[in-house]
Amino acid sequence: MDNPLLTHIPSLATKALYYEVAISPKPGLVDRFDNGAHSDMNFFTFINSIESLAPYFYSYYQLGFEHASDLASLFTKLRKQGVEAENKMLTATKGINTHKGANFSFAVLLGATGFYMQTHSFPFSSKDTSAILKLVAKMTHHLVQYDFSKITQKDQLSHGEKLYMKAGTLGVRGEAAKGYPALSHLLLPFLRQHASYTDTETLLLRGLVLLMSQIEDSNLLHRGGTEGWQQVKQHSTSIYHSSLNNTDFNLALTKFNQELIKKNLSPGGAADLLGLGIYFSFLENII
Ligand SMILES: CC(C)(COP(=O)(O)OP(=O)(O)OC[C@H]1O[C@@H](n2cnc3c(N)ncnc32)[C@H](O[C@H]2O[C@H](COP(=O)(O)OP(=O)(O)OP(=O)(O)O)[C@@H](O)[C@H]2O)[C@@H]1O)[C@@H](O)C(=O)NCCC(=O)NCCS
Ligand SMILES: Nc1ncnc2[nH]cnc12
C-alpha cells in the first residue's frame, strides 16, 4: 500500500469503537465498569468483535478509494463485504450481536470516505464530513424500499424488520438513507462546540446522553416498546439540560444505569451513533 491514509483512516474507525465501549459509566450499555442491561456480552466480547471487524474496515475504505463507477455499484460491493464481516463478527462473539449496526454504518461511511478521498485531502473540516454524509445518503437512498419490499418473503425477521412491520420504524437503514442527521444536526455540532473541553470521556458521555434524548433507537423500542423508549428519552433530556458538574453528571449516569438494568433497556442505537461520531471527531481533530 503506497498511500498511508489507506491504513490511517480505517484505523480511526477501529479506535472509535474502542473509545465507545470504553467510556464509562454508560446507562444500560456495556462499559469498563459493568455489562449494563446485557447478560450475554461484556467488555471482552466487544474487544473480540472489534478485532474481527478491523480488517473489513480497511476493505471498505479501499473499495471506496478504488471505485471508479456510480455509488449504487459501490454499495453492492460494500454490502457483499459487510455480510461477510457480520458473519465473522458473530463467530468472534459466539453469535451475539455486538456491532451489527456499527458494521453496516462503517461499511457505508468508510466506503464513502474512500470515494471522497480520491479527490480531497486530509485533515478534515466539517464541510468534508458533511460531503461524506451526503454521499452516504445518495448511496443508500434506495435501501429502505429495497430491503423492506422483500420482507414478506423472509422466514425469519430481525428485530429491525419486525419493528418496521409493526410501526414503520426505519432503524439504521433510515439513518443512512437520510445521511445520518443525528450526526450532522445533533452530535457533531455539540462536539465541535465543545472541542476545547479537556475531559474527553465526559464530553463523549454528554454527547451520548444528547443522542439518547432524541433519536429513535430501535434497540430500546424492541426491548421496551414505545413506553420504554419515551422514558429513556425523557430521563436523558432531563440529565442533559440539568447543567450538572462532572461529578454530579457521573453520579446521575450511574443511577440511570441501575434503572435501565432493572428495566432491561439498552440504548444500543445511540451507542453505535456515538461510535460513528467519534470517528468523525478524529477526522476533524475535535478530540
Ligand atoms: C442493515 C442491517 C444491519 C439491519 O439490521 P436490522 O434489520 O436488525 O435493523 P435495525 O434494527 O435497524 O439495525 C440494526 C442495529 O442498528 C443499531 N441501531 C438501532 N437503532 C439505530 C439508530 N436509530 N441509528 C443507528 N443505529 C441504530 C442497533 O445496534 C445496536 O443494538 C445492538 C443490539 O441489537 P439487538 O440484537 O437488536 O438487540 P438485543 O437487545 O441485544 O437482542 P436480544 O438479545 O434481545 O435478541 C447493539 O449491539 C448495537 O449494535 C441495531 O441492532 C442488516 O440486516 C444488514 O444489511 N446486514 C448486512 C451486512 C452489512 O452490514 N452490510 C454492510 C454494507 S451495506
Ligand atoms: N457499549 C455497548 N453496549 C451495548 N451495546 C452496544 N452496541 C454498541 N455499543 C454498545
Side-chain angles (χ1 to χ4, degrees):
M1 267 181 206
D2 48 1
N3 180 346
L5 293 181
L6 281 177
T7 53
H8 180 60
I9 292 180
S11 79
L12 297 181
T14 306
K15 189 163 76 162
L17 288 185
Y18 281 121
Y19 267 53
E20 183 276 300
V21 68
I23 64 164
S24 314
K26 291 195 293 294
L29 295 161
V30 174
D31 61 26
R32 303 198 307 283
F33 303 160
D34 64 33
N35 305 338
H38 295 269
S39 54
D40 56 359
M41 48 180 161
N42 61 30
F43 194 70
F44 298 98
T45 323
F46 275 83
I47 292 180
N48 295 338
S49 175
I50 296 167
E51 285 295 303
S52 74
L53 290 176
Y56 290 94
F57 289 177
Y58 296 95
S59 309
Y60 299 149
Y61 182 83
Q62 192 154 8
L63 280 173
F65 191 71
E66 290 171 356
H67 189 73
S69 176
D70 61 298
L71 287 170
S73 60
L74 176 57
F75 180 76
T76 308
K77 289 184 197 167
L78 290 168
R79 189 157 232 194
K80 197 161 169 259
Q81 280 285 291
V83 172
E84 195 183 304
E86 193 177 293
N87 287 331
K88 278 273 176 354
M89 177 203 87
L90 290 171
T91 305
T93 60
K94 301 191 169 59
I96 294 156
N97 169 19
T98 38
H99 285 126
K100 190 163 76 164
N103 172 51
F104 167 82
S105 291
F106 271 127
V108 292
L109 288 171
L110 284 164
T113 310
F115 190 74
Y116 183 76
M117 290 304 284
Q118 292 181 24
T119 49
H120 293 81
S121 59
F122 202 61
F124 272 33
S125 70
S126 58
K127 280 193 184 141
D128 299 299
T129 297
S130 159
I132 287 169
L133 294 175
K134 284 193 181 121
L135 284 177
V136 169
K138 260 195 194 165
M139 199 195 294
T140 56
H141 71 95
H142 66 290
L143 187 64
V144 168
Q145 217 215 335
Y146 178 81
D147 274 10
F148 291 137
S149 66
K150 294 192 302 184
I151 216 168
T152 46
Q153 299 156 23
K154 290 180 86 173
D155 302 335
Q156 258 202 331
L157 297 182
S158 66
H159 293 312
E161 288 163 340
K162 282 184 198 155
L163 282 171
Y164 174 77
M165 293 288 272
K166 198 171 145 203
T169 307
L170 299 180
V172 71
R173 295 175 182 87
E175 280 292 320
K178 285 181 269 175
Y180 293 94
L183 297 182
S184 56
H185 290 57
L186 200 61
L187 180 64
L188 289 170
F190 169 80
L191 294 177
R192 286 179 195 127
Q193 196 190 338
H194 297 90
S196 60
Y197 212 91
T198 48
D199 182 346
T200 302
E201 184 167 28
T202 308
L203 173 67
L204 295 176
L205 286 169
R206 289 185 190 270
L208 173 68
V209 171
L210 174 61
L211 286 171
M212 288 167 61
S213 72
Q214 298 204 27
I215 70 153
E216 187 181 61
D217 192 317
S218 67
N219 204 22
L220 286 174
L221 277 165
H222 100 75
R223 284 187 178 213
T226 309
E227 201 189 323
W229 169 48
Q230 288 300 333
Q231 282 170 4
V232 171
K233 275 177 63 169
Q234 273 159 21
H235 196 153
S236 306
T237 305
S238 123
I239 294 179
Y240 182 75
H241 288 296
S242 295
S243 310
L244 299 172
N245 64 35
N246 286 356
T247 310
D248 290 342
F249 175 70
N250 254 264
L251 207 62
L253 290 193
T254 304
K255 281 193 193 146
F256 197 8
N257 183 35
Q258 292 312 319
E259 183 191 319
L260 293 195
I261 291 172
K262 253 193 232 142
K263 293 182 173 166
N264 191 35
L265 291 174
S266 165
D272 277 359
L273 287 167
L274 179 67
L276 310 182
I278 296 173
Y279 164 69
F280 283 110
S281 302
F282 288 143
L283 286 171
E284 288 184 30
N285 262 327
I286 298 172
I287 55 170

Short mmCIF file of all heavy atoms in Angstrom, two decimals, residues 38 40-41 46 60 75 78-79 82-83 86 97-105 107-108 147 158-161 170-173 175 180 215-219 222-223 268-270 272-273, ligand 1:
data_model
loop_
_atom_site.label_atom_id
_atom_site.label_comp_id
_atom_site.label_asym_id
_atom_site.label_seq_id
_atom_site.Cartn_x
_atom_site.Cartn_y
_atom_site.Cartn_z
N HIS A 38 -27.11 -6.00 29.67
CA HIS A 38 -26.79 -7.15 28.80
C HIS A 38 -26.27 -8.32 29.63
O HIS A 38 -25.28 -8.18 30.35
CB HIS A 38 -25.73 -6.76 27.77
CG HIS A 38 -26.24 -5.73 26.80
ND1 HIS A 38 -26.84 -6.07 25.61
CD2 HIS A 38 -26.25 -4.38 26.86
CE1 HIS A 38 -27.19 -4.97 24.97
NE2 HIS A 38 -26.86 -3.92 25.71
N ASP A 40 -25.59 -11.24 28.01
CA ASP A 40 -24.87 -12.15 27.10
C ASP A 40 -23.58 -11.55 26.53
O ASP A 40 -22.93 -12.15 25.68
CB ASP A 40 -25.80 -12.60 25.95
CG ASP A 40 -26.40 -11.42 25.19
OD1 ASP A 40 -26.12 -10.26 25.55
OD2 ASP A 40 -27.15 -11.67 24.22
N MET A 41 -23.22 -10.32 26.93
CA MET A 41 -21.96 -9.76 26.43
C MET A 41 -21.28 -8.89 27.49
O MET A 41 -21.94 -8.34 28.38
CB MET A 41 -22.17 -8.97 25.14
CG MET A 41 -23.30 -7.98 25.13
SD MET A 41 -23.33 -7.19 23.49
CE MET A 41 -24.95 -6.51 23.39
N PHE A 46 -16.78 -7.23 23.28
CA PHE A 46 -16.62 -6.08 22.37
C PHE A 46 -15.21 -6.03 21.79
O PHE A 46 -15.04 -5.72 20.62
CB PHE A 46 -17.00 -4.78 23.09
CG PHE A 46 -18.49 -4.53 23.02
CD1 PHE A 46 -19.34 -5.14 23.92
CD2 PHE A 46 -19.03 -3.74 22.02
CE1 PHE A 46 -20.71 -4.96 23.83
CE2 PHE A 46 -20.40 -3.56 21.92
CZ PHE A 46 -21.25 -4.17 22.83
N TYR A 60 -13.42 -1.79 3.33
CA TYR A 60 -14.49 -0.83 2.98
C TYR A 60 -13.86 0.45 2.41
O TYR A 60 -14.30 0.98 1.40
CB TYR A 60 -15.33 -0.45 4.20
CG TYR A 60 -16.07 -1.58 4.90
CD1 TYR A 60 -16.31 -1.54 6.28
CD2 TYR A 60 -16.56 -2.67 4.19
CE1 TYR A 60 -17.00 -2.56 6.93
CE2 TYR A 60 -17.25 -3.70 4.84
CZ TYR A 60 -17.46 -3.64 6.21
OH TYR A 60 -18.14 -4.64 6.86
N PHE A 75 -22.18 0.50 -3.37
CA PHE A 75 -22.97 -0.07 -2.27
C PHE A 75 -23.06 -1.60 -2.41
O PHE A 75 -22.95 -2.33 -1.42
CB PHE A 75 -24.38 0.54 -2.23
CG PHE A 75 -25.20 -0.02 -1.11
CD1 PHE A 75 -24.98 0.38 0.20
CD2 PHE A 75 -26.16 -1.01 -1.34
CE1 PHE A 75 -25.72 -0.16 1.25
CE2 PHE A 75 -26.88 -1.56 -0.30
CZ PHE A 75 -26.67 -1.13 1.00
N LEU A 78 -19.89 -3.05 -1.18
CA LEU A 78 -19.75 -2.90 0.28
C LEU A 78 -20.63 -3.89 1.02
O LEU A 78 -20.25 -4.46 2.03
CB LEU A 78 -20.10 -1.47 0.70
CG LEU A 78 -19.12 -0.37 0.29
CD1 LEU A 78 -19.73 1.00 0.49
CD2 LEU A 78 -17.80 -0.49 1.07
N ARG A 79 -21.83 -4.09 0.48
CA ARG A 79 -22.76 -4.97 1.18
C ARG A 79 -22.24 -6.41 1.18
O ARG A 79 -22.38 -7.13 2.18
CB ARG A 79 -24.15 -4.89 0.55
CG ARG A 79 -25.15 -5.62 1.39
CD ARG A 79 -26.56 -5.17 1.18
NE ARG A 79 -27.19 -4.83 2.45
CZ ARG A 79 -28.48 -4.66 2.60
NH1 ARG A 79 -29.29 -4.74 1.57
NH2 ARG A 79 -28.98 -4.37 3.77
N GLY A 82 -19.78 -6.53 3.72
CA GLY A 82 -20.46 -6.29 5.00
C GLY A 82 -21.10 -7.55 5.55
O GLY A 82 -21.05 -7.81 6.76
N VAL A 83 -21.70 -8.34 4.67
CA VAL A 83 -22.33 -9.60 5.10
C VAL A 83 -21.26 -10.55 5.62
O VAL A 83 -21.42 -11.18 6.68
CB VAL A 83 -23.13 -10.23 3.93
CG1 VAL A 83 -23.61 -11.62 4.29
CG2 VAL A 83 -24.29 -9.34 3.52
N GLU A 86 -20.13 -9.31 9.00
CA GLU A 86 -21.14 -9.59 10.04
C GLU A 86 -21.01 -11.04 10.51
O GLU A 86 -21.09 -11.33 11.70
CB GLU A 86 -22.53 -9.30 9.47
CG GLU A 86 -23.62 -9.26 10.52
CD GLU A 86 -24.99 -8.89 9.93
OE1 GLU A 86 -25.17 -7.75 9.46
OE2 GLU A 86 -25.88 -9.78 9.93
N ASN A 97 -24.97 -10.25 18.97
CA ASN A 97 -24.95 -9.04 18.14
C ASN A 97 -24.35 -7.87 18.90
O ASN A 97 -25.04 -7.15 19.61
CB ASN A 97 -26.38 -8.72 17.68
CG ASN A 97 -26.48 -7.33 17.04
OD1 ASN A 97 -25.47 -6.75 16.62
ND2 ASN A 97 -27.69 -6.80 16.98
N THR A 98 -23.06 -7.69 18.76
CA THR A 98 -22.39 -6.54 19.38
C THR A 98 -22.43 -5.32 18.47
O THR A 98 -22.73 -4.21 18.90
CB THR A 98 -20.91 -6.87 19.65
OG1 THR A 98 -20.44 -7.64 18.55
CG2 THR A 98 -20.71 -7.60 20.95
N HIS A 99 -22.12 -5.54 17.19
CA HIS A 99 -21.87 -4.41 16.29
C HIS A 99 -22.55 -4.56 14.93
O HIS A 99 -21.99 -4.12 13.93
CB HIS A 99 -20.35 -4.28 16.04
CG HIS A 99 -19.59 -3.70 17.19
ND1 HIS A 99 -18.52 -4.31 17.77
CD2 HIS A 99 -19.74 -2.52 17.86
CE1 HIS A 99 -18.04 -3.57 18.75
NE2 HIS A 99 -18.77 -2.47 18.83
N LYS A 100 -23.73 -5.15 14.90
CA LYS A 100 -24.38 -5.31 13.58
C LYS A 100 -24.63 -3.94 12.94
O LYS A 100 -24.31 -3.72 11.78
CB LYS A 100 -25.69 -6.08 13.73
CG LYS A 100 -26.28 -6.47 12.40
CD LYS A 100 -27.32 -7.56 12.53
CE LYS A 100 -28.61 -7.01 13.07
NZ LYS A 100 -29.75 -7.92 12.88
N GLY A 101 -25.19 -3.04 13.74
CA GLY A 101 -25.48 -1.70 13.22
C GLY A 101 -24.20 -0.94 12.89
O GLY A 101 -24.09 -0.29 11.85
N ALA A 102 -23.19 -1.03 13.77
CA ALA A 102 -21.94 -0.30 13.55
C ALA A 102 -21.22 -0.82 12.32
O ALA A 102 -20.64 -0.04 11.54
CB ALA A 102 -21.05 -0.42 14.79
N ASN A 103 -21.24 -2.13 12.12
CA ASN A 103 -20.59 -2.70 10.93
C ASN A 103 -21.25 -2.17 9.65
O ASN A 103 -20.58 -1.75 8.72
CB ASN A 103 -20.66 -4.23 10.97
CG ASN A 103 -20.18 -4.85 9.67
OD1 ASN A 103 -19.09 -4.54 9.18
ND2 ASN A 103 -20.98 -5.72 9.08
N PHE A 104 -22.58 -2.18 9.65
CA PHE A 104 -23.30 -1.65 8.49
C PHE A 104 -22.92 -0.18 8.25
O PHE A 104 -22.56 0.22 7.14
CB PHE A 104 -24.82 -1.79 8.72
CG PHE A 104 -25.63 -1.00 7.74
CD1 PHE A 104 -25.89 -1.51 6.48
CD2 PHE A 104 -26.11 0.26 8.07
CE1 PHE A 104 -26.62 -0.77 5.56
CE2 PHE A 104 -26.84 1.00 7.16
CZ PHE A 104 -27.10 0.48 5.90
N SER A 105 -22.98 0.61 9.31
CA SER A 105 -22.73 2.05 9.16
C SER A 105 -21.30 2.33 8.74
O SER A 105 -21.05 3.17 7.88
CB SER A 105 -23.04 2.78 10.47
OG SER A 105 -24.43 2.75 10.72
N ALA A 107 -19.41 0.38 7.06
CA ALA A 107 -19.23 -0.05 5.66
C ALA A 107 -19.56 1.12 4.73
O ALA A 107 -18.77 1.48 3.85
CB ALA A 107 -20.12 -1.25 5.35
N VAL A 108 -20.72 1.74 4.95
CA VAL A 108 -21.10 2.82 4.03
C VAL A 108 -20.28 4.10 4.28
O VAL A 108 -19.90 4.79 3.33
CB VAL A 108 -22.63 3.10 4.05
CG1 VAL A 108 -23.38 1.93 3.44
CG2 VAL A 108 -23.15 3.40 5.44
N ASP A 147 -34.94 -3.24 0.75
CA ASP A 147 -34.90 -4.28 1.79
C ASP A 147 -36.30 -4.61 2.31
O ASP A 147 -36.66 -5.77 2.44
CB ASP A 147 -34.04 -3.83 2.99
CG ASP A 147 -32.56 -4.14 2.78
OD1 ASP A 147 -32.20 -4.53 1.65
OD2 ASP A 147 -31.78 -3.99 3.73
N SER A 158 -35.38 -9.92 11.50
CA SER A 158 -34.55 -9.31 12.54
C SER A 158 -35.44 -8.42 13.42
O SER A 158 -36.57 -8.10 13.04
CB SER A 158 -33.45 -8.46 11.90
OG SER A 158 -34.05 -7.36 11.24
N HIS A 159 -34.89 -7.97 14.56
CA HIS A 159 -35.65 -7.06 15.41
C HIS A 159 -36.07 -5.82 14.60
O HIS A 159 -37.17 -5.33 14.72
CB HIS A 159 -34.81 -6.61 16.61
CG HIS A 159 -34.51 -7.71 17.57
ND1 HIS A 159 -35.46 -8.57 18.03
CD2 HIS A 159 -33.34 -8.09 18.15
CE1 HIS A 159 -34.90 -9.44 18.87
NE2 HIS A 159 -33.61 -9.16 18.96
N GLY A 160 -35.13 -5.33 13.79
CA GLY A 160 -35.39 -4.12 12.99
C GLY A 160 -36.53 -4.35 12.00
O GLY A 160 -37.39 -3.49 11.82
N GLU A 161 -36.53 -5.52 11.37
CA GLU A 161 -37.58 -5.81 10.38
C GLU A 161 -38.94 -5.96 11.06
O GLU A 161 -39.96 -5.50 10.54
CB GLU A 161 -37.19 -7.07 9.59
CG GLU A 161 -36.03 -6.79 8.64
CD GLU A 161 -35.32 -8.03 8.13
OE1 GLU A 161 -35.44 -9.10 8.76
OE2 GLU A 161 -34.61 -7.92 7.11
N LEU A 170 -37.73 2.77 10.75
CA LEU A 170 -36.76 2.53 9.67
C LEU A 170 -35.37 2.12 10.18
O LEU A 170 -34.54 1.63 9.40
CB LEU A 170 -36.64 3.77 8.78
CG LEU A 170 -37.94 4.19 8.07
CD1 LEU A 170 -37.71 5.43 7.22
CD2 LEU A 170 -38.50 3.06 7.21
N GLY A 171 -35.09 2.33 11.46
CA GLY A 171 -33.84 1.87 12.07
C GLY A 171 -32.59 2.43 11.39
O GLY A 171 -32.58 3.55 10.86
N VAL A 172 -31.54 1.62 11.38
CA VAL A 172 -30.25 2.09 10.89
C VAL A 172 -30.30 2.36 9.37
O VAL A 172 -29.60 3.25 8.86
CB VAL A 172 -29.12 1.10 11.28
CG1 VAL A 172 -29.21 -0.21 10.50
CG2 VAL A 172 -27.76 1.73 11.11
N ARG A 173 -31.14 1.63 8.64
CA ARG A 173 -31.26 1.88 7.19
C ARG A 173 -31.78 3.29 6.95
O ARG A 173 -31.32 3.99 6.06
CB ARG A 173 -32.24 0.88 6.56
CG ARG A 173 -31.80 -0.56 6.59
CD ARG A 173 -32.93 -1.42 6.04
NE ARG A 173 -32.66 -2.84 6.04
CZ ARG A 173 -32.91 -3.65 7.07
NH1 ARG A 173 -33.39 -3.16 8.19
NH2 ARG A 173 -32.66 -4.94 6.98
N GLU A 175 -31.53 5.86 8.99
CA GLU A 175 -30.48 6.83 9.35
C GLU A 175 -29.54 7.04 8.18
O GLU A 175 -29.21 8.18 7.82
CB GLU A 175 -29.66 6.29 10.55
CG GLU A 175 -30.30 6.47 11.90
CD GLU A 175 -30.37 7.94 12.33
OE1 GLU A 175 -29.42 8.69 12.09
OE2 GLU A 175 -31.41 8.32 12.90
N TYR A 180 -27.50 10.28 8.05
CA TYR A 180 -27.19 10.36 9.48
C TYR A 180 -27.43 11.75 10.08
O TYR A 180 -26.50 12.38 10.60
CB TYR A 180 -25.75 9.88 9.76
CG TYR A 180 -25.57 8.40 9.50
CD1 TYR A 180 -25.11 7.94 8.26
CD2 TYR A 180 -25.91 7.45 10.46
CE1 TYR A 180 -24.99 6.58 8.00
CE2 TYR A 180 -25.78 6.09 10.20
CZ TYR A 180 -25.31 5.68 8.97
OH TYR A 180 -25.19 4.34 8.71
N ILE A 215 -32.92 10.42 19.63
CA ILE A 215 -33.02 9.52 18.46
C ILE A 215 -34.08 8.42 18.63
O ILE A 215 -34.47 8.09 19.75
CB ILE A 215 -31.67 8.86 18.11
CG1 ILE A 215 -31.25 7.84 19.17
CG2 ILE A 215 -30.58 9.89 17.86
CD1 ILE A 215 -30.36 6.75 18.61
N GLU A 216 -34.50 7.87 17.50
CA GLU A 216 -35.41 6.72 17.52
C GLU A 216 -34.52 5.48 17.54
O GLU A 216 -33.97 5.09 16.51
CB GLU A 216 -36.28 6.74 16.25
CG GLU A 216 -37.36 5.69 16.26
CD GLU A 216 -38.19 5.72 14.99
OE1 GLU A 216 -37.63 5.52 13.89
OE2 GLU A 216 -39.40 5.94 15.08
N ASP A 217 -34.36 4.91 18.74
CA ASP A 217 -33.40 3.82 18.93
C ASP A 217 -34.16 2.49 18.83
O ASP A 217 -34.94 2.14 19.71
CB ASP A 217 -32.77 3.99 20.33
CG ASP A 217 -31.58 3.11 20.55
OD1 ASP A 217 -31.65 1.91 20.17
OD2 ASP A 217 -30.57 3.58 21.11
N SER A 218 -33.90 1.72 17.76
CA SER A 218 -34.70 0.50 17.55
C SER A 218 -34.39 -0.55 18.62
O SER A 218 -35.21 -1.42 18.89
CB SER A 218 -34.51 -0.05 16.14
OG SER A 218 -33.21 -0.51 15.95
N ASN A 219 -33.24 -0.45 19.25
CA ASN A 219 -32.92 -1.39 20.31
C ASN A 219 -33.79 -1.14 21.55
O ASN A 219 -34.31 -2.07 22.17
CB ASN A 219 -31.43 -1.28 20.65
CG ASN A 219 -30.89 -2.56 21.27
OD1 ASN A 219 -31.47 -3.63 21.10
ND2 ASN A 219 -29.82 -2.44 22.00
N HIS A 222 -37.40 -2.28 20.66
CA HIS A 222 -37.74 -3.70 20.67
C HIS A 222 -37.70 -4.29 22.08
O HIS A 222 -38.43 -5.21 22.40
CB HIS A 222 -36.92 -4.49 19.63
CG HIS A 222 -35.74 -5.23 20.16
ND1 HIS A 222 -35.84 -6.39 20.87
CD2 HIS A 222 -34.42 -4.97 20.07
CE1 HIS A 222 -34.63 -6.81 21.19
NE2 HIS A 222 -33.75 -5.97 20.74
N ARG A 223 -36.90 -3.68 22.96
CA ARG A 223 -36.87 -4.19 24.34
C ARG A 223 -37.97 -3.58 25.22
O ARG A 223 -38.50 -4.26 26.09
CB ARG A 223 -35.52 -3.90 24.99
CG ARG A 223 -34.40 -4.81 24.52
CD ARG A 223 -33.17 -4.55 25.35
NE ARG A 223 -32.07 -5.42 24.99
CZ ARG A 223 -31.18 -5.87 25.87
NH1 ARG A 223 -31.27 -5.54 27.14
NH2 ARG A 223 -30.20 -6.64 25.49
N GLY A 268 -28.67 0.77 22.43
CA GLY A 268 -27.61 0.29 21.52
C GLY A 268 -27.47 1.14 20.25
O GLY A 268 -26.37 1.29 19.73
N GLY A 269 -28.60 1.69 19.77
CA GLY A 269 -28.53 2.55 18.57
C GLY A 269 -27.75 3.82 18.86
O GLY A 269 -26.91 4.25 18.06
N ALA A 270 -28.00 4.41 20.04
CA ALA A 270 -27.27 5.64 20.42
C ALA A 270 -25.79 5.34 20.58
O ALA A 270 -24.93 6.13 20.18
CB ALA A 270 -27.85 6.21 21.72
N ASP A 272 -24.06 3.05 18.99
CA ASP A 272 -23.48 2.93 17.65
C ASP A 272 -23.26 4.30 17.02
O ASP A 272 -22.21 4.57 16.42
CB ASP A 272 -24.41 2.13 16.73
CG ASP A 272 -24.22 0.64 16.92
OD1 ASP A 272 -23.37 0.24 17.73
OD2 ASP A 272 -24.94 -0.13 16.25
N LEU A 273 -24.25 5.18 17.16
CA LEU A 273 -24.11 6.53 16.57
C LEU A 273 -22.97 7.30 17.24
O LEU A 273 -22.25 8.05 16.58
CB LEU A 273 -25.43 7.31 16.71
CG LEU A 273 -26.54 6.83 15.76
CD1 LEU A 273 -27.89 7.41 16.17
CD2 LEU A 273 -26.24 7.21 14.30
C1 LIG B 1 -28.95 -3.40 7.61
C2 LIG B 1 -28.80 -4.38 8.74
C3 LIG B 1 -27.58 -4.03 9.58
C4 LIG B 1 -30.11 -4.19 9.50
O1 LIG B 1 -30.36 -4.92 10.63
P1 LIG B 1 -31.79 -4.96 11.34
O2 LIG B 1 -32.84 -5.35 10.39
O3 LIG B 1 -31.66 -5.71 12.62
O4 LIG B 1 -32.13 -3.44 11.58
P2 LIG B 1 -32.01 -2.32 12.68
O5 LIG B 1 -32.65 -2.70 13.98
O6 LIG B 1 -32.49 -1.09 12.06
O7 LIG B 1 -30.50 -2.11 12.90
C5 LIG B 1 -29.52 -2.96 13.38
C6 LIG B 1 -28.74 -2.33 14.50
O8 LIG B 1 -28.51 -0.92 14.31
C7 LIG B 1 -28.45 -0.28 15.58
N1 LIG B 1 -29.46 0.81 15.64
C8 LIG B 1 -30.68 0.80 16.17
N2 LIG B 1 -31.29 1.97 16.03
C9 LIG B 1 -30.41 2.75 15.41
C10 LIG B 1 -30.45 4.11 15.01
N3 LIG B 1 -31.50 4.89 15.21
N4 LIG B 1 -29.36 4.59 14.40
C11 LIG B 1 -28.28 3.84 14.19
N5 LIG B 1 -28.18 2.55 14.56
C12 LIG B 1 -29.23 2.03 15.15
C13 LIG B 1 -28.72 -1.34 16.61
O9 LIG B 1 -27.45 -1.82 17.02
C14 LIG B 1 -27.20 -1.79 18.42
O10 LIG B 1 -28.07 -2.73 19.02
C15 LIG B 1 -27.33 -3.93 19.16
C16 LIG B 1 -28.15 -4.97 19.80
O11 LIG B 1 -29.27 -5.11 18.99
P3 LIG B 1 -30.28 -6.30 19.03
O12 LIG B 1 -29.64 -7.59 18.72
O13 LIG B 1 -31.41 -5.86 18.20
O14 LIG B 1 -30.77 -6.26 20.50
P4 LIG B 1 -30.51 -7.15 21.74
O15 LIG B 1 -31.38 -6.50 22.73
O16 LIG B 1 -29.12 -7.36 22.13
O17 LIG B 1 -31.11 -8.53 21.22
P5 LIG B 1 -31.75 -9.69 22.02
O18 LIG B 1 -30.68 -10.16 22.96
O19 LIG B 1 -32.96 -9.12 22.68
O20 LIG B 1 -32.09 -10.68 20.94
C17 LIG B 1 -26.13 -3.40 19.78
O21 LIG B 1 -25.12 -4.23 19.93
C18 LIG B 1 -25.85 -2.22 18.81
O22 LIG B 1 -25.02 -2.61 17.75
C19 LIG B 1 -29.43 -2.42 15.84
O23 LIG B 1 -29.25 -3.74 16.35
C20 LIG B 1 -28.56 -5.83 8.31
O24 LIG B 1 -29.70 -6.52 8.11
C21 LIG B 1 -27.70 -5.96 7.05
O25 LIG B 1 -27.98 -5.48 5.97
N6 LIG B 1 -26.68 -6.68 7.21
C22 LIG B 1 -25.83 -6.97 6.06
C23 LIG B 1 -24.42 -6.73 6.33
C24 LIG B 1 -23.99 -5.32 6.35
O26 LIG B 1 -23.97 -4.68 7.37
N7 LIG B 1 -23.53 -4.77 5.24
C25 LIG B 1 -22.80 -3.54 5.25
C26 LIG B 1 -22.74 -2.89 3.97
S1 LIG B 1 -24.23 -2.22 3.43
#
